[in-house]
Amino acid sequence: MGRMRGGFGVGSTINACTKGIWVWNQPIRASSNAGETFDVLVMDSEGIGAMDEDQNHDTRIFLLATLLSSLLIYNSVGTIDEGALQNISLIVNMSKQLQIRSQGGKECDPEELKSYFPSFLWVLRDFALRLTDPQGNPISPKQYLENSLYPQKGTSDNVELKNRIRRVITSVFSERDCFPLIRPLEDEKAIQSLQEVPDSGLRPEFVGQMQLLKQKICKKAKPKKINGNFITGEMLLELCNAYTSAFNSGAVPCIENAWNYMCKSQCQKVMDDVLNAYEVQLNKFAEECKYDPEKIKAMNKELKAKLMTNFKDQSIGDSIEEYEEVLKQRLAERYEEVKKTSVGKITVRGLCESRRNMRTSWTKCKKHTPKKSLKATINRLLISRSILRS
């Protein structure tokens, strides 16, 4: 992505190139194994261990990126050794800075977190070693990762800390994989301007590995889901707002609170859309049927049933019934407004038709009625006109 114009930058100094979390401005079309297409939103987060930030900042950025993602790609240089695992040890702190439910306030159980956490892909940059087991047999990158996460032997505090990092990683990331990449260039100076180097200037082996990595990412990418519900772009924005608001207020973000906030926002949005669609469609139909009350009544019943079904299909969370009752009341109010408008239209139209009939009758009277009875006829018409006006 960084090699595309206007994309994420690749830093050539020791200073952090990305601050916070950046979002690619165009979604990327992807397909699932079942052939279903969906949009992938790519985010780039600030790295871990910046000189001008503390571990609390790193943990919050890492936690936010994790909570918003369906696939988390973590990259580091070299092999997976104790140093690499220590660098990612902030995962242990995530359980202290996150709550699943609003009540209790105790530290999250990593096993419980895995249903909310994304798939995990560890990319190893500048990797030059052969992947083999202790007996020299070739192993896959995934097996290499799993071997690195095996508990270490010993009972000391240091060993316990190392094993705790391993336990948390295996607990919160139930789906995990690994992908090694060789060094893209041998020339150190060219590495510092890697973003400007065309593919033809890179090592062919690296270009081939990048293509395989892209394929793996597209295969592993999947729509974001929470509590069995797919998350739309607008819903993802609501989640992000809920989490960042908690961080900025000094509170511990709560998955349950963020979920409820997002659900209520989604229900409100769907309800507003339904009310707008109902009003537009019913008013249009009323005009087309010349405000026939029976036809409007039948259309109201049909339209309300269809839109209520749409509301239930698009709404999520435990507040659906509450919003459903409000929606029914608002639909009834809109229907009464259309009925009143229809009655007014029919009255005016009926008055105009009556006056036209009176003029027609007057013309006929003048033409066919004898003069001696014309005066009596005029009086009857005047009386009728007076009744209409009253």
Side-chain angles (χ1 to χ4, degrees):
M1 297 294 292
R3 298 171 60 79
M4 300 169 63
R5 185 177 179 183
F8 301 135
V10 179
S12 59
T13 69
I14 60 173
N15 300 314
C17 184
T18 304
K19 287 292 186 181
I21 297 178
W22 292 14
V23 181
W24 187 253
N25 63 1
Q26 292 292 333
I28 299 173
R29 227 34 201 164
S31 300
S32 65
N33 293 332
E36 298 176 343
T37 58
F38 55 92
D39 290 326
V40 177
L41 194 64
V42 182
M43 299 183 292
D44 182 26
S45 71
E46 184 175 344
I48 297 171
M51 302 291 285
D52 56 344
E53 299 292 354
D54 58 19
Q55 191 179 47
N56 186 53
H57 172 83
D58 290 345
T59 302
R60 288 183 171 187
I61 293 294
F62 194 89
L63 177 56
L64 181 60
T66 300
L67 290 171
L68 297 178
S69 301
S70 62
L71 172 62
L72 180 67
I73 304 172
Y74 175 78
N75 78 88
S76 62
V77 177
T79 61
I80 302 177
D81 53 18
E82 289 303 327
L85 291 172
Q86 283 296 325
N87 286 337
I88 201 175
S89 62
L90 54 81
I91 289 179
V92 175
N93 296 328
M94 288 199 303
S95 59
K96 301 176 182 178
Q97 298 205 27
L98 179 67
Q99 290 182 354
I100 294 179
R101 283 168 288 278
S102 57
Q103 298 177 350
K106 61 180 182 180
E107 187 175 323
C108 289
D109 180 3
E111 282 292 331
E112 199 173 2
L113 279 175
K114 66 182 179 183
S115 61
Y116 300 98
F117 273 30
S119 302
F120 181 74
L121 178 60
W122 195 333
V123 176
L124 305 173
R125 302 181 353 248
D126 302 349
F127 190 88
L129 302 179
R130 287 188 301 142
L131 294 175
T132 60
D133 64 13
Q135 289 73 41
N137 301 312
I139 58 174
S140 66
K142 179 177 174 60
Q143 188 57 52
Y144 171 59
L145 172 61
E146 295 304 316
N147 292 348
S148 302
L149 296 176
Y150 284 156
Q152 301 294 294
K153 295 180 180 179
T155 57
S156 67
D157 292 342
N158 188 38
V159 171
E160 173 56 28
L161 177 59
K162 292 179 180 180
N163 286 338
R164 188 183 181 197
I165 296 171
R166 289 170 165 83
R167 285 196 303 271
V168 172
I169 293 175
T170 55
S171 295
V172 298
F173 298 119
S174 56
E175 296 181 22
R176 49 191 181 271
D177 204 345
C178 179
F179 194 95
L181 287 171
I182 63 172
R183 195 174 179 82
L185 290 168
E186 296 293 349
D187 187 351
E188 291 291 339
K189 291 185 178 180
I191 286 286
Q192 295 180 8
S193 57
L194 184 62
Q195 194 164 333
E196 282 72 44
V197 179
D199 285 354
S200 58
L202 301 174
R203 295 171 65 182
E205 298 89 343
F206 175 81
V207 175
Q209 288 179 339
M210 281 300 300
Q211 292 299 324
L212 292 175
L213 177 58
K214 289 179 182 178
Q215 293 174 14
K216 181 179 281 287
I217 291 173
C218 289
K219 184 178 180 180
K220 286 185 171 294
K222 54 188 177 182
K224 175 75 173 176
K225 293 176 71 175
I226 298 180
N227 293 339
N229 295 275
F230 289 107
I231 305 301
T232 65
E234 291 181 342
M235 293 161 67
L236 185 69
L237 185 62
E238 295 293 348
L239 274 179
C240 184
N241 184 50
Y243 289 135
T244 53
S245 295
F247 282 133
N248 293 335
S249 65
V252 175
C254 175
I255 294 176
E256 183 184 65
N257 288 348
W259 167 253
N260 290 335
Y261 174 81
M262 183 194 67
C263 290
K264 290 181 178 179
S265 297
Q266 177 67 7
C267 288
Q268 183 66 51
K269 176 186 176 299
V270 176
M271 185 175 72
D272 291 342
D273 291 344
V274 165
L275 287 170
N276 182 63
Y278 174 84
E279 193 164 0
V280 170
Q281 294 180 45
L282 192 61
N283 281 327
K284 182 181 178 182
F285 178 80
E287 291 181 4
E288 292 173 350
C289 73
K290 300 186 183 301
Y291 299 95
D292 184 301
E294 291 303 318
K295 290 182 179 179
I296 292 175
K297 182 178 179 181
M299 183 59 179
N300 166 66
K301 183 178 180 180
E302 177 185 339
L303 189 58
K304 188 166 71 171
K306 183 181 76 171
L307 292 176
M308 288 301 298
T309 300
N310 292 346
F311 172 79
K312 293 177 182 178
D313 290 342
Q314 297 177 42
S315 298
I316 56 175
D318 298 329
S319 302
I320 294 179
E321 292 184 0
E322 174 186 342
Y323 280 88
E324 186 178 355
E325 291 303 315
V326 175
L327 178 58
K328 288 179 180 178
Q329 181 180 349
R330 299 252 179 106
L331 287 173
E333 292 171 357
R334 296 288 197 281
Y335 176 56
E336 290 301 321
E337 291 173 4
V338 174
K339 280 173 60 178
K340 289 179 181 178
T341 303
S342 301
V343 171
K345 295 281 186 180
I346 292 171
T347 302
V348 171
R349 188 178 64 195
L351 179 58
C352 292
E353 289 177 353
S354 297
R355 288 180 173 176
R356 281 197 298 269
N357 293 335
M358 286 172 58
R359 285 195 292 270
T360 302
S361 300
W362 169 246
T363 303
K364 289 180 179 179
C365 284
K366 287 174 64 179
K367 191 173 182 180
H368 302 290
T369 305
K371 289 184 179 181
K372 60 181 179 179
S373 60
L374 185 58
K375 186 176 180 181
T377 302
I378 291 173
N379 289 333
R380 285 198 301 272
L381 288 173
L382 288 174
I383 292 170
S384 299
R385 184 176 180 184
S386 177
I387 292 172
L388 283 173
R389 281 182 172 176
S390 63

